[in-house]
Amino acid sequence: DLKKYSGEYAVPGDYAHAELKIINDTLHFSLKEKPEFHAVIQPVGMHQFCFAVDPQKYPMFVFGVDDSDNVVSLEFLEFTFKKK
């Protein structure tokens, strides 16, 4: 269910913000500080997503969940975004 991944995320200190939203049954990732950076991502494992255009399907987006399986964070590159 892609809906649990959608929402707003922020790096602690509020210097980077990500938004994930569902458009036409696909999950889209964007950075508020760089509006030109917008990507479709797709699942490749348990709470792991890759860029949809990546032929290697390397997981670049790893979501953290709590004990109730609610998404609480997103790791992308060297950043950990907390879900708002």
Side-chain angles (χ1 to χ4, degrees):
D1 181 21
L2 295 178
K3 192 187 292 188
K4 74 178 180 179
Y5 301 104
S6 65
E8 294 192 11
Y9 295 76
V11 171
D14 265 352
Y15 66 89
H17 303 84
E19 183 177 18
L20 283 99
K21 56 186 167 185
I22 300 168
I23 302 172
N24 297 328
D25 296 323
T26 58
L27 195 59
H28 293 246
F29 173 87
S30 61
L31 290 171
K32 289 190 177 185
E33 288 74 17
K34 293 189 176 282
E36 69 279 3
F37 184 84
H38 178 90
V40 176
I41 63 175
Q42 66 184 40
V44 290
M46 182 66 105
H47 307 301
Q48 297 180 346
F49 288 72
C50 70
F51 288 107
V53 297
D54 179 9
Q56 303 297 319
K57 304 300 181 211
Y58 183 79
M60 293 287 296
F61 304 85
V62 180
F63 291 89
V65 296
D66 63 16
D67 292 339
S68 300
D69 207 38
N70 297 308
V71 173
V72 295
S73 64
L74 162 63
E75 290 182 33
F76 173 64
L77 301 174
E78 70 271 17
F79 301 103
T80 300
F81 293 80
K82 300 293 181 189
K83 190 168 188 183
K84 290 185 166 189

